[in-house]
Amino acid sequence: MNAKVLHTLEFDKITAMLAAHAATSLGKALAGEIAPSASLEEVKRRLQATDEAAAVDRLKGTPPFGGIHNIRASLKRASIGGMLNPSELLDIGSTLGASRRLKRFLQAAHEDHAIRMIVALAETMSEHRPVEERIAACIDDNAAILDTASPELARIRQELRGGEGRVREKLEQMIRTPSVQKMLQDNLITIRNDRYVIPVKMEYRANFGGMIHDQSASGATLFIEPESIVALNNKLKEWRLKEEAEIEKILRLLTALVADIAEEASANQDVLAELDFIFAKAGLAREWKATLPLMNDRGFLKLKKGRHPLIPRESVVPLDVELGNQFSTIIVTGPNTGGKTVSLKTVGLLSLLAMSGLFVPAEDGSQLCVFDAIYADIGDEQSIEQNLSTFSSHMTNIIAMLRGMTPKSLVLLDEVGAGTDPAEGSALAIAILEHIHKSGCRMIATTHYSELKAYAYERSGVINASMEFDVATLSPTYRLLVGVPGRSNAFAIAERLGLAKPIIDHARGQVSEDDQRVETMIATLEENRLSAIAERSEAEQLRGEATRLRRELDEQRRKFEEQRGKLIAAAEQEAREAVAKARREAEAIIADLRQLAMEEGASLKEHKLIEARRRLDEAEPKLKKPAAVAVPGGGGKKTRPAQPGDEVLVRSLGQKGHLIELSGDNDAIVQLGIMKMKVARSDLELSGASASAAGGGAGPQKQAQPTGAGVKRSRDDNVRTELDLRGSNLEDSLIEVDRFLDESFLANFAQIYIIHGKGTGVLRTGIQEYLRRHRHVKAYRLGNYGEGGAGVTVVELK
């Protein structure tokens, strides 16, 4: 790719942003060398690596790149026999450990989410745990050699510390002597030239034997090594030399270990650089909120809400554009500062990003093409030094494009034909565009020439586009409108700014009739476009509302069918158990009869027993739909309607209960055990004493009371979304919670509130432990601010 084009499209700024996301100097170096590829397979490989890194970054966080250093120079010196210093060895050990940890991290991430390409790359790194541990055992984090590096070094340092202690002890005895203290500048011990000395005043120089090692800047103080410790300091010097020799021996041993693995460790460096570079691309994608583009090599690109990455996200106007399907050339017209150049750069830069393996700041489903080259003539590049005018510089660029372009190239031309006579410039622009279009290139060109609008209409595969302009505010909107040529808007702008109407009318009269028709046509197209956008927006809103209502209806139907199925299954199970119990009792009776006949010698025939068994089988109750019950508005056949308090049978459920109240024209509220249900009146049938009383027609009607024990709650009969348990003990509260959950579930509540207060927390803890196991509970949490806080538990039902 031409370096000048990369600079024109500001690709170098992207590489700088990419390098900022790299964690190591190795990755930063690769980021600075990134370049687009013209191979579709290579681009797909790069994008797959970026996609896998983005998945790891999203699911597992940033990989551990800490501790990685550029150790190539150290490895090279070790391999040719040089001795490494402690800092270099420390960096090598740190890098070996970091590469091992990174490899483990990526392998663990692969178990949760497939990242085959990255794991295959990481697994090529060799591990050298013994070398890593040996370096760590000899060198601390400050690059100092540890005493444990070797037994000899430990012994030497022990002797050194002992000798230093003896020297200090002797000197301290000396400076504590009153006769000596008056001759000292300070009562302290210091070191000069690796030898222990004391600060003596100049006038007492003759009173001390020994050696003078230094003096103060003023000359008033001499640093003297007393004669009594010269031998001790000499001994310390010997031990220090032995220490240096032993340290050198240790460093050479460690360097030899590094030299043995230098080639493999150098290969690890290449892999670490590549991994850091890949995850830098993922980090940049996260910053941009970019997506993975679909790639092709057939010259087709389609950007959905594409954004220029160098323009702040809050101010950039997304770009929608398609090229290479129905048309291969787009001619963009519009006023200056309208965004034409930014649109050109966006298309070119996003193509370069995708070809470099980077995600693009656009919506999912955007497609981009792998071009063999991208040519761009954007901006004014006149040169005084080369004696080139604006027109000449543009022509120089365009000539170079025409020589190098192929049918698989992308050409971006800004203000084609500008900088010369308008008549000649427009004619030349048409000729250049025609030549490029016939070559099969994909091309986007911007212009001010109105003649090019007609050219786009007359050529197959060429389409007009324009940058939208708001005449009401006299400002551009920076939106690209494909299929609509741009209007000059000069008269409208002048009129809005206050130019006299006669002058504007005179100017309009100077415009040719053909140009006026074109402007009128463009205005009509613009009005139709705006109307279509408004209608489409309204249609999408209505479709969204319909979709939401349908989802809610489907969910309600699902819950109803689930609830109905549970109730029917429970009723059928109860019926089966009753029938099974009756059958067992009948079998027992028959067995007793047969035993009795055998014991008494009676002539009871076996076939009679079989007949009795058959009659018992026929007596087994069958589930059938009863006749309609006569309730007010129900159209039944009974002699009187069911009244509140009657015992009734809900036929669809096969359950008996008591009629509580009549609701509306066709509904009724029935108490079924601990549950209240609203059912259709036509689904009810009088049962038991209520049916007998209805048939006899005599005597006062006695209202039946619901059977079964229950806890009376201080609330109304209607199901509510909250339950107040403050002041109750845990055992009674759990009974109430169970009943409340059943009622709320049958009422199709999505969320309910249980008020337990704060107190000691015993009631809250017990209730939440019960909720955790309850079949109707999907989730629960403490109340938020405004909901009661820790005194309320908010329950979400299934």
mmCIF file of all heavy atoms in Angstrom, residues 648-666:
data_model
loop_
_atom_site.group_PDB
_atom_site.id
_atom_site.type_symbol
_atom_site.label_atom_id
_atom_site.label_comp_id
_atom_site.label_asym_id
_atom_site.label_seq_id
_atom_site.Cartn_x
_atom_site.Cartn_y
_atom_site.Cartn_z
ATOM 1 N N VAL A 648 -70.095 -26.182 44.926
ATOM 2 C CA VAL A 648 -70.150 -26.344 43.481
ATOM 3 C C VAL A 648 -68.965 -27.199 43.037
ATOM 4 O O VAL A 648 -67.967 -27.348 43.745
ATOM 5 C CB VAL A 648 -70.113 -24.977 42.756
ATOM 6 C CG1 VAL A 648 -71.370 -24.169 43.038
ATOM 7 C CG2 VAL A 648 -68.869 -24.201 43.148
ATOM 8 N N LEU A 649 -69.081 -27.762 41.823
ATOM 9 C CA LEU A 649 -68.025 -28.531 41.172
ATOM 10 C C LEU A 649 -67.528 -27.740 39.960
ATOM 11 O O LEU A 649 -68.323 -27.360 39.103
ATOM 12 C CB LEU A 649 -68.542 -29.897 40.723
ATOM 13 C CG LEU A 649 -67.579 -30.729 39.854
ATOM 14 C CD1 LEU A 649 -66.396 -31.186 40.693
ATOM 15 C CD2 LEU A 649 -68.296 -31.938 39.257
ATOM 16 N N VAL A 650 -66.211 -27.478 39.917
ATOM 17 C CA VAL A 650 -65.611 -26.842 38.734
ATOM 18 C C VAL A 650 -65.255 -27.968 37.766
ATOM 19 O O VAL A 650 -64.318 -28.727 37.978
ATOM 20 C CB VAL A 650 -64.357 -26.039 39.125
ATOM 21 C CG1 VAL A 650 -63.768 -25.364 37.889
ATOM 22 C CG2 VAL A 650 -64.687 -24.989 40.174
ATOM 23 N N ARG A 651 -66.057 -28.072 36.696
ATOM 24 C CA ARG A 651 -65.961 -29.246 35.832
ATOM 25 C C ARG A 651 -64.596 -29.347 35.136
ATOM 26 O O ARG A 651 -64.033 -30.430 35.003
ATOM 27 C CB ARG A 651 -67.070 -29.197 34.785
ATOM 28 C CG ARG A 651 -68.472 -29.385 35.369
ATOM 29 C CD ARG A 651 -69.470 -29.741 34.283
ATOM 30 N NE ARG A 651 -69.514 -28.737 33.243
ATOM 31 C CZ ARG A 651 -70.301 -27.671 33.262
ATOM 32 N NH1 ARG A 651 -71.094 -27.487 34.295
ATOM 33 N NH2 ARG A 651 -70.287 -26.804 32.295
ATOM 34 N N SER A 652 -64.053 -28.224 34.676
ATOM 35 C CA SER A 652 -62.790 -28.291 33.932
ATOM 36 C C SER A 652 -61.638 -28.754 34.805
ATOM 37 O O SER A 652 -60.654 -29.300 34.308
ATOM 38 C CB SER A 652 -62.474 -26.916 33.337
ATOM 39 O OG SER A 652 -62.308 -25.965 34.376
ATOM 40 N N LEU A 653 -61.740 -28.563 36.128
ATOM 41 C CA LEU A 653 -60.685 -28.977 37.046
ATOM 42 C C LEU A 653 -61.018 -30.247 37.799
ATOM 43 O O LEU A 653 -60.151 -30.868 38.401
ATOM 44 C CB LEU A 653 -60.378 -27.854 38.057
ATOM 45 C CG LEU A 653 -59.982 -26.496 37.467
ATOM 46 C CD1 LEU A 653 -59.758 -25.490 38.573
ATOM 47 C CD2 LEU A 653 -58.736 -26.649 36.623
ATOM 48 N N GLY A 654 -62.309 -30.634 37.811
ATOM 49 C CA GLY A 654 -62.712 -31.812 38.574
ATOM 50 C C GLY A 654 -62.606 -31.588 40.082
ATOM 51 O O GLY A 654 -62.433 -32.553 40.834
ATOM 52 N N GLN A 655 -62.688 -30.342 40.549
ATOM 53 C CA GLN A 655 -62.513 -30.004 41.958
ATOM 54 C C GLN A 655 -63.795 -29.381 42.501
ATOM 55 O O GLN A 655 -64.482 -28.621 41.812
ATOM 56 C CB GLN A 655 -61.351 -29.024 42.133
ATOM 57 C CG GLN A 655 -59.989 -29.607 41.789
ATOM 58 C CD GLN A 655 -59.521 -30.580 42.850
ATOM 59 O OE1 GLN A 655 -59.546 -30.285 44.014
ATOM 60 N NE2 GLN A 655 -59.111 -31.754 42.421
ATOM 61 N N LYS A 656 -64.088 -29.714 43.795
ATOM 62 C CA LYS A 656 -65.226 -29.117 44.473
ATOM 63 C C LYS A 656 -64.762 -27.939 45.309
ATOM 64 O O LYS A 656 -63.662 -27.928 45.848
ATOM 65 C CB LYS A 656 -65.915 -30.142 45.376
ATOM 66 C CG LYS A 656 -66.616 -31.256 44.607
ATOM 67 C CD LYS A 656 -67.334 -32.205 45.566
ATOM 68 C CE LYS A 656 -68.044 -33.330 44.794
ATOM 69 N NZ LYS A 656 -68.749 -34.257 45.709
ATOM 70 N N GLY A 657 -65.640 -26.951 45.404
ATOM 71 C CA GLY A 657 -65.338 -25.791 46.223
ATOM 72 C C GLY A 657 -66.617 -25.082 46.599
ATOM 73 O O GLY A 657 -67.722 -25.625 46.468
ATOM 74 N N HIS A 658 -66.502 -23.853 47.057
ATOM 75 C CA HIS A 658 -67.654 -23.060 47.471
ATOM 76 C C HIS A 658 -67.673 -21.758 46.710
ATOM 77 O O HIS A 658 -66.645 -21.105 46.546
ATOM 78 C CB HIS A 658 -67.611 -22.794 48.983
ATOM 79 C CG HIS A 658 -67.841 -24.032 49.801
ATOM 80 N ND1 HIS A 658 -66.830 -24.923 50.090
ATOM 81 C CD2 HIS A 658 -68.975 -24.526 50.364
ATOM 82 C CE1 HIS A 658 -67.311 -25.914 50.807
ATOM 83 N NE2 HIS A 658 -68.607 -25.700 51.002
ATOM 84 N N LEU A 659 -68.834 -21.418 46.233
ATOM 85 C CA LEU A 659 -69.024 -20.184 45.480
ATOM 86 C C LEU A 659 -68.965 -19.011 46.458
ATOM 87 O O LEU A 659 -69.763 -18.930 47.390
ATOM 88 C CB LEU A 659 -70.359 -20.217 44.733
ATOM 89 C CG LEU A 659 -70.684 -18.988 43.863
ATOM 90 C CD1 LEU A 659 -69.621 -18.811 42.804
ATOM 91 C CD2 LEU A 659 -72.059 -19.148 43.222
ATOM 92 N N ILE A 660 -68.003 -18.096 46.235
ATOM 93 C CA ILE A 660 -67.819 -16.951 47.135
ATOM 94 C C ILE A 660 -68.644 -15.762 46.687
ATOM 95 O O ILE A 660 -69.392 -15.175 47.466
ATOM 96 C CB ILE A 660 -66.332 -16.563 47.207
ATOM 97 C CG1 ILE A 660 -65.483 -17.753 47.684
ATOM 98 C CG2 ILE A 660 -66.124 -15.376 48.154
ATOM 99 C CD1 ILE A 660 -65.889 -18.264 49.030
ATOM 100 N N GLU A 661 -68.551 -15.431 45.383
ATOM 101 C CA GLU A 661 -69.305 -14.290 44.870
ATOM 102 C C GLU A 661 -69.432 -14.417 43.363
ATOM 103 O O GLU A 661 -68.695 -15.157 42.717
ATOM 104 C CB GLU A 661 -68.631 -12.982 45.241
ATOM 105 C CG GLU A 661 -67.257 -12.784 44.628
ATOM 106 C CD GLU A 661 -66.706 -11.422 44.930
ATOM 107 O OE1 GLU A 661 -67.204 -10.466 44.325
ATOM 108 O OE2 GLU A 661 -65.787 -11.323 45.779
ATOM 109 N N LEU A 662 -70.419 -13.679 42.841
ATOM 110 C CA LEU A 662 -70.621 -13.615 41.399
ATOM 111 C C LEU A 662 -69.974 -12.340 40.894
ATOM 112 O O LEU A 662 -70.189 -11.255 41.434
ATOM 113 C CB LEU A 662 -72.114 -13.624 41.059
ATOM 114 C CG LEU A 662 -72.886 -14.867 41.557
ATOM 115 C CD1 LEU A 662 -74.372 -14.715 41.266
ATOM 116 C CD2 LEU A 662 -72.353 -16.123 40.906
ATOM 117 N N SER A 663 -69.146 -12.472 39.847
ATOM 118 C CA SER A 663 -68.389 -11.338 39.331
ATOM 119 C C SER A 663 -68.791 -11.076 37.894
ATOM 120 O O SER A 663 -68.694 -11.957 37.049
ATOM 121 C CB SER A 663 -66.891 -11.637 39.420
ATOM 122 O OG SER A 663 -66.146 -10.617 38.820
ATOM 123 N N GLY A 664 -69.221 -9.852 37.632
ATOM 124 C CA GLY A 664 -69.597 -9.491 36.271
ATOM 125 C C GLY A 664 -70.833 -10.256 35.822
ATOM 126 O O GLY A 664 -71.668 -10.712 36.623
ATOM 127 N N ASP A 665 -70.955 -10.406 34.497
ATOM 128 C CA ASP A 665 -72.127 -11.083 33.937
ATOM 129 C C ASP A 665 -71.922 -12.581 33.794
ATOM 130 O O ASP A 665 -72.880 -13.347 33.833
ATOM 131 C CB ASP A 665 -72.451 -10.492 32.555
ATOM 132 C CG ASP A 665 -72.840 -9.025 32.649
ATOM 133 O OD1 ASP A 665 -73.370 -8.638 33.712
ATOM 134 O OD2 ASP A 665 -72.609 -8.283 31.673
ATOM 135 N N ASN A 666 -70.679 -13.024 33.603
ATOM 136 C CA ASN A 666 -70.463 -14.436 33.275
ATOM 137 C C ASN A 666 -69.421 -15.116 34.156
ATOM 138 O O ASN A 666 -69.132 -16.285 33.954
ATOM 139 C CB ASN A 666 -70.005 -14.561 31.814
ATOM 140 C CG ASN A 666 -71.029 -14.026 30.842
ATOM 141 O OD1 ASN A 666 -72.196 -14.386 30.911
ATOM 142 N ND2 ASN A 666 -70.600 -13.127 29.954
#
